[in-house]
Amino acid sequence: MPPTLTLKSGTSWEDAWQRCLTVAPEAFRDGRVLNLWNAAWQPDGRALPAVSPVDGTPVAGPPRLDRATARQAVRAALDQHRAWRHVPLPERRARVAATLDALAEHRDLLALLLVWEIGKPWRLACADVDRAIDGVRWYVDGIDTMLEGRAPLDGPVSNIASWNYPMSVLVHALLVQALAGNAVVAKTPTDGGVACLTLATALAAREGIPVTLVSGSGGELSEALVRAPEIGCVSFVGGRDTGAAVATAVADLGKRHILEQEGLNTWGIWNYSDWDALGALIPKLFDYGKQRCTAYPRFVVQRSLFDAFLAAYLPAVRTLRIGHPLAVEHPDDPYPALDFGPVINAAKAKELDDQVAEAIDRGAVPLHRGTPSDARFLPGQDTSAYVQPVTLLNPPRSSPLHHAEPFGPVDTIVLVDTEAELLAAMNASNGALVATLSTDERATFDRLAPHIRAFKIGHGVPRSRGDRDELFGGFGASWRGAFVGGELLVRAVTRGPADERLPGNFPDRRLTP
């Protein structure tokens, strides 16, 4: 019999909430989080109920503003921007550095909030916080050179981001944008992360960073956060459907924009033999249940290598560790070492289960399905947001799993016989952020890689968003607007020479660095 598990000591949601009240009482009040605008914490908005995907525990929900209040918040952000852009760079740098010190001091609390709000295992939650802090420190150290000959935008930067990386994507972007001389506006993701973002924002606001944090539905707030004339740039991270609407709005307005959208990232196998190396990578590709914009949910495999591929893949995928991120045998045990916990909510879990069932009904072949009995759960806990890993061969073309990113622990495999079929299958989603081709011969990789429509392509190794000076963008429908990463992030949110053409993917051009 498996051991009976218990919650790790001091890690309950109530423990985390009480620590938030102690650290930033101005931002947490009466069981809810507040919005931050006009340089003050505002008890406005309709707080929605929310539960943790981890086990259904009630958590703080987003206090949703209406359209009119959001417009007020944006107008106030413009006033902050006009003052902040004239603050000397040494002072901006000092305030951002002080914010990073505060984030580092409360790193474990920020990570614990990520566990409860979006279901990240402890290791990955800590990594999200650490990447935000370390990444922004790199900009603090090198910002002088990056800003030579450049000036802040005419208005604040508006940030709309998905829920999966609140710190290393959203907070990182906010602090670099502010370092470059802009006031910043952010919308909390609807599906999770509001308390973590509120705490991080409170620490930044205490150091005088001009940040606005609001909650609300995308449809209700888009007029203020995307179309408002006060906004100098729109930064968006999310799905293609929402991104397309944002792209249309910013194109009509001629507004500076950075729109990172999803794509089906693929891993090709062609004339390959290093199966031990591939098998060692498979569990890592399931980090956070593949709820990442740079996850690899599709393998495109040379048919003649399929038996060898399965011999490496199946033993590796059977080692995955899934369960409650805070469940331990003894209260003082270390955090459990898991590959992933829940997906973001029970509705997403049902969507994935339904897509898998439909694909099998239409002809996909199930090659692997994890079982709940292998997962680590507390006695009687709600497990409705958990999805066991699934691998399907040849999903039908009518299935969303054939052409779109599932954003969950579902792998699909497509078999091909020619290089032309390989490339067509790897380009199934009209552009991606990353791709990998595993092939023994470097010459083969060099010949095929230019035909893969992904911004970053690995030779037998996964690619990621990157840190510090590594550039990031996307090809095709996976990206609109300016590319980011390294110096390009600063260039995207500042003005340079009048004839400057930013590297990016625009309606009239694609300019690569």
Side-chain angles (χ1 to χ4, degrees), residues 139-381:
Y139 283 94
V140 169
D141 292 340
I143 191 64
D144 297 79
T145 302
M146 298 181 199
L147 285 179
E148 287 180 1
R150 310 195 67 80
L153 300 175
D154 293 334
V157 182
S158 176
N159 294 267
I160 304 169
S162 58
W163 44 266
N164 52 342
Y165 284 90
M167 293 296 298
S168 63
V169 173
L170 184 51
V171 171
H172 177 280
L174 296 178
L175 293 178
V176 175
Q177 292 161 7
L179 182 63
N182 303 289
V184 292
V185 180
K187 186 181 92 66
T188 62
T190 303
D191 288 326
V194 60
C196 177
L197 284 169
T198 299
L199 178 59
T201 302
L203 298 175
R206 286 180 177 179
E207 303 300 336
I209 305 297
V211 57
T212 294
L213 185 69
V214 295
S215 294
S217 71
E220 185 77 7
L221 301 192
S222 63
E223 181 180 340
L225 301 183
V226 176
R227 295 182 173 273
E230 293 91 343
I231 297 296
C233 175
V234 176
S235 177
F236 170 87
V237 180
R240 289 192 179 185
D241 291 342
T242 304
V246 175
T248 299
V250 295
D252 291 345
L253 299 168
K255 196 182 295 289
R256 184 77 64 92
H257 58 283
I258 307 161
L259 310 181
E260 176 187 331
Q261 301 171 144
E262 64 188 1
L264 184 61
N265 305 316
T266 58
W267 193 300
I269 308 288
W270 190 261
N271 292 342
Y272 182 70
S273 62
D274 193 356
W275 302 111
D276 288 342
L278 180 66
L281 289 171
I282 295 300
K284 300 175 184 177
L285 300 182
F286 276 88
D287 271 357
Y288 195 33
K290 301 209 172 193
Q291 297 177 103
R292 313 186 315 277
C293 64
T294 54
Y296 288 83
R298 166 67 51 79
F299 288 90
V300 181
V301 182
Q302 189 175 4
R303 190 183 306 273
S304 61
L305 298 178
F306 185 47
D307 57 339
F309 171 82
L310 281 185
Y313 176 90
L314 290 177
V317 79
R318 289 174 183 140
T319 68
L320 293 174
R321 300 155 299 178
I322 302 120
H324 190 305
L326 303 172
V328 293
E329 293 184 31
H330 306 286
D332 294 328
D333 282 351
Y335 289 92
L338 302 176
D339 294 293
F340 61 93
V343 296
I344 187 58
N345 52 44
K348 179 62 179 180
K350 183 179 185 305
E351 175 189 297
L352 288 169
D353 288 341
D354 289 347
Q355 288 179 351
V356 168
E358 181 183 48
I360 293 172
D361 286 345
R362 295 182 181 181
V365 178
L367 298 176
H368 171 76
R369 278 192 274 201
T371 58
S373 61
D374 295 330
R376 296 170 51 91
F377 294 131
L378 296 176
Q381 79 161 79

Side-chain angles (χ1 to χ4, degrees), residues 4 13 15 28 31 33 47 66 73 103 114 176 270-271 301 303 313 317 320 376-377 391 400 456-457 466 481 483:
T4 300
W13 170 256
D15 291 327
F28 299 84
V33 299
D66 57 30
L103 294 175
L114 291 180
V176 175
W270 190 261
N271 292 342
V301 182
R303 190 183 306 273
Y313 176 90
V317 79
L320 293 174
R376 296 170 51 91
F377 294 131
T391 307
K456 293 182 178 180
I457 303 173
F483 293 149

